[in-house]
Amino acid sequence: MMIKFVLHRLLWGAITVWFIATATFFAMHAVPGDPLIQDKAMSPVVRAQLEARYGLDKPLSQQYFTFIGNMINGDFGISFTQENRRVNDIIREHFPVSATLGIAAIAIALVGGVLAGSIAAHYRGQWPDKLVMFMVVAAISVPGFVIAGLAQLIIVKLNSAAESTVLPVAGWGGVNHVWVPALVLGLGTLAYLSRLSRAAMLEVLSSDYILAARARGISGVSLFFRYQLRNALLPVVTELGPAVAAITTGGFVVELIFAIPGLGRYFVQAVQQLDYTVIMGTTVFYGAFLVVIVVLVDISYGLIDPRIRLSAGRS
Amino acid sequence: MAMLLFVLLGPLVWQQDPSQQWLSQVSSGPTSGIYARVVGPISTKGVGNVSRLTVLESNTERVQLAWPEVVSVERFRLYRAKQHQSGKGLPLWQGRGRSYTDELQLRRQIYRYTLVDADTGMMLFSTETRPEPAISVFEAQLQELIPASATVYPEYLRLPAHPLGTDALGRDILARLMAGGRSSLFVGIVAPLLFISFGAIFGGLAGYIGGKFDQFAMRSADFVVALPFLLFMILLRIAFGIGPGQDGILPLILAMLLLSWPSSARLIRGQVLALRSQPFIDSARLSGVTTWGIFRRHIFPNVLPVLMVAFSFAIPQAIFTEAFLSFIGMGVSPPSTSWGAMCNDGIKTLLSHPGQLLWPAAMISISVLAFNILGDALRDTADKRSGGVGQ
Amino acid sequence: MSVVAIEHLQLALSGNQVLREVSFSLEEGECRALVGESGSGKSLTAMCLLGLAPPNAVLNAEQFSVMGQPLPAQGHRDWRGWRGRRIAMIFQNPMTALSPTRTIGAQLSECFRLHRNMDRRQARAESAALLERLAIPRAEQRLSQYPFEFSGGMLQRVMIALAVACRPKLLIADEPTTALDVTVQAEVLALLRELQHEQGTSLLFISHDLGVVANIADTVSVMYAGETVESASVASLLRHPAHPYSEALQAAMPRLHSREITVAIPGSPPDMRGTIQGCAFAPRCKHRMAICEDSPPLLISPRGAGVRCWRWHPDYPERWRLQHD
């Protein structure tokens, strides 16, 4: 039953990735202007060589099939602006950095959000609830890049007040380089998830089965984890897919501001320099990555909620 | 109760944004400003004799200092410090002359100049001065405060006020906030208006007609939803491109339209499907109301509150999207600006002048907050009113 | 010694007196039914017995004890030794009273592990045995199923299993059959009765259905507007109801062998948001008298029922005239 469910999701994912790749390809080829125009003047010979190298001399349909074929083989081509650098290498080199940051951010958002939401729900209408909800509204209304900038400003003030480097302002390296950007990156999602888990937890708290469990003498930690949290997590898990997407794109900005050598920063640079292959490669890569995440979330939702698993298996 | 909330909160929320737009019309006119001395080229007349370190001229364009000869000192060194700064401060100059003109980033604050013997480091003189506001003839001519051909000019000029100061390129932040707000809010309101209307019509038709068309509409919606939104915003923005002289707003709106219609289409389709099976639609049809009549009289009024809610939540989303794209340089292109683009400029000078980031950031946050609150209020109202047709 | 002794239990929720005067007792092995309209405070009384009254509740009682021991304050941590171990409860709707994301086995063996200190394997074996005992087929496999895979009747059996798992002294059943099909109702009632005899448990059976009550209970307490207006044996209540409200309830009960049209009680229960002066039932009572402006004391009818109605006062009817005279 479960296998069928998983296969179904995987097939859906594959089709979506193909669609993303196709859309990317045609979007990029609809760009007005000449992809090879750069500052330097080019002799016709050099130009012809470059065209041959990037396959630009072939008809569009052939380019498309080459592109899709290469994609299937996991080959994204060569960068336009950083010559001789393969897009695969760029991804391989910089994605782990983004992933580290993203995983840290997701972890912070998930744990913080669920915790804050649960606390707010348990103290409904009292000051912890009001505090959490106020922070949620504040965090949702402020763009990520502003939070990033402010965080940097605070770090600078902190460092100058302490007259030593308490926290690094930017860059990449040790643990201290990770957690501030990760917090900044996760903050919006954290706020969103706390609102969500607060609502879910409120519903759980007013449910019969919590009352029944308490009437059976279940209390404290086991009541919270086994009964309340487990049921309140369901709606949160469904939102993890969008949350990962938000953190991925949010990462572009945070990596830019904190000067972190992640894939997001390279993507933004590529966009600004119109580096076609890098844009296409990273877009498809990110698209595929997000699809994989969505499929994983679907599957894990099936694991948590037995109703989904069984109904999907039966249908 | 809900209506009360709606009536009271609605205008309160709406007030904020028009007020910013309204201000924009007066933004360029000078309101109240400071008088600045108009400073011509450095006069070449002799320094004359002074008995100690003397300030000959002191304004924000330049501070001219002169000092007497000192026995046994060959070379002098001049330092400049801010008033409360300890020590001698910044070394400005070293040499044999007996005068110096400081033109280095002077502001309207008290400076302390210290002259020392460059060889022994012995302190010779010290003096304090507070430069008065000034504008150079060249800049005054450039900004057309005085005619370019004029050779005689007034001693003082009244400069336009910058209540929020100027940005890194000397542009008035308040004025730019207003201009930026126009593009931000324009995108923020027009884009959702377009994609929600499009989605609503498409989804409404899909729900009403049903069958093959419905399937086609929902399949395409599925695919568009599967696209990573911001990535494709960037991609489409590049694909549409912008020619010289365009501000990039149109491609932005088009890209949003292409990517954002499915959510409202799905929403409206669901609503129309639910409504279509309601008995009152059947009874209307039985009593001979035309399809268009049913749509206009029964479906549209019932769907409208839902649409309004979706609209008010789409606005902050669109404002955010615009800000994000402008921030990474893929949104509104110069010389036009938007709050997001201003943030992008501001973050570069964050450490020295946080205001340049904070003002546009505050504008974004306040408008987003306002629209979110409006959306919450609208949703509460709609929830209470609907009752019949399930969400 | 009474298993439950409640005297003058009062409870206010944000200033509204929701329970005004609840008194009853429950002997060992006895089954007492708590009967009344919805909103009369039956379930709230049960919640108080588990320490699960809403957090803003203010509780007051002259006596409020189980097995001779006074109960802890509502929401106090001392309730741990009581809930599930000495007092257990069966809920009205079995479909919503089990966590949907955990297996039946996990929830059932949790009880054994928590209250009887069993290890995992022991608890599971015990759970299977208990389900078997409650006539659930294929009990072993059923343990690893989720609540949504069970039918309503099966789930209520599971709820009963959860409640009796630790052989509580007091079992509260809050309308345990209301959400079930009629055919299943009888089975569940028989099962409850059987278990009660087997384990010697006292049963507090909450219901609004006198028919069901007649089937299972020994004694009945009738509640109206947060007050126990009559406590009597089942037979006495059904044949000779002493309080006008009991009378009306009894008259409203559908009968199999009679063509009489059942009589609905005119009027509606009082609004609990205000303070109630005098007898709460007076506005709907056909025996209303001037004295009913004052709260009636607890009186004993000649047949031994405890009843709050002036008509059983020794001075009736000499001293008071009916109001409509």
Side-chain angles (χ1 to χ4, degrees), chain A residues 12 15-16 19-20 23-24 27-28 30-32 137-138 140-143 145-146 148-150 152-153 156-157 195 249-250 252-253 256-257 267-268 271-272 274 279 282-283 286-287 290-291, chain B residues 222-224 226-228 230-232 234-236 238-242 313 320 323-324 327-330 339-340 343-344 347 350-351 354 357-358 361-362 364-366 368-369 372-373 376 379:
Chain A
W12 175 86
I15 293 175
T16 313
F19 182 72
I20 290 174
T24 311
M28 288 316 290
V31 174
V137 170
I140 285 179
S141 304
V142 181
F145 49 80
V146 174
L150 289 182
Q152 243 180 1
L153 189 64
V156 169
K157 296 277 179 218
R195 191 151 80 166
T249 40
F252 298 177
V253 166
L256 213 57
I257 293 176
F267 178 69
V268 174
V271 165
Q272 286 164 350
L274 285 187
I279 295 175
T282 36
T283 304
Y286 269 129
L290 291 178
V291 167
Chain B
D222 281 347
F223 274 123
V224 176
L227 299 177
L230 279 174
L231 280 174
F232 269 78
I234 296 172
L235 219 60
L236 286 178
I238 304 172
F240 289 136
I242 43 168
F313 279 117
F320 258 13
F324 174 84
F327 184 79
I328 63 168
M330 278 291 114
W339 289 335
C343 285
N344 189 15
I347 205 143
L350 173 73
L351 297 181
L357 170 67
L358 293 186
I364 297 176
S365 304
I366 291 172
V368 166
L369 185 64
N372 270 329
I373 293 173
D376 277 337
R379 183 177 52 192

Side-chain angles (χ1 to χ4, degrees), chain B residues 78-128:
Chain B
L78 186 65
Y79 290 91
R80 183 183 88 186
K82 289 173 194 161
Q83 189 185 21
H84 297 294
Q85 201 176 346
S86 58
K88 292 193 286 276
L90 183 75
L92 285 176
W93 168 85
Q94 176 170 314
R96 292 170 192 277
R98 287 201 293 116
S99 69
Y100 178 74
T101 306
D102 177 13
E103 293 173 306
L104 187 70
Q105 280 197 346
L106 289 158
R107 300 195 180 279
R108 293 169 60 201
Q109 60 185 17
I110 298 175
Y111 291 106
R112 188 175 68 246
Y113 289 94
T114 312
L115 193 69
V116 300
D117 182 340
D119 297 319
T120 61
M122 188 180 67
M123 206 173 102
L124 301 171
F125 299 108
S126 180
T127 186
E128 287 189 352

Side-chain angles (χ1 to χ4, degrees), chain A residues 89-106:
Chain A
D89 293 337
I90 295 181
I91 293 176
R92 194 174 307 131
E93 199 171 316
H94 300 292
F95 180 67
V97 176
S98 292
T100 313
L101 186 65
I103 289 169
I106 275 281

Side-chain angles (χ1 to χ4, degrees), chain C residues 126-189:
Chain C
E126 198 73 18
S127 307
L130 185 57
L131 287 191
E132 200 102 26
R133 163 76 191 79
L134 296 185
I136 291 178
R138 298 186 298 114
E140 188 65 42
Q141 290 139 332
R142 286 245 144 187
L143 280 181
S144 47
Q145 287 186 331
Y146 289 89
F148 70 96
E149 295 171 78
F150 279 64
S151 69
M154 282 297 161
L155 270 189
Q156 195 59 298
R157 282 165 206 264
V158 172
M159 289 306 295
I160 293 174
L162 279 168
V164 301
C166 299
R167 300 180 178 268
K169 279 285 161 212
L170 170 62
L171 183 60
I172 304 170
D174 188 357
E175 313 227 6
T177 56
T178 312
L180 302 179
D181 290 346
V182 183
T183 45
V184 186
Q185 278 187 11
E187 286 173 36
V188 169
L189 284 181

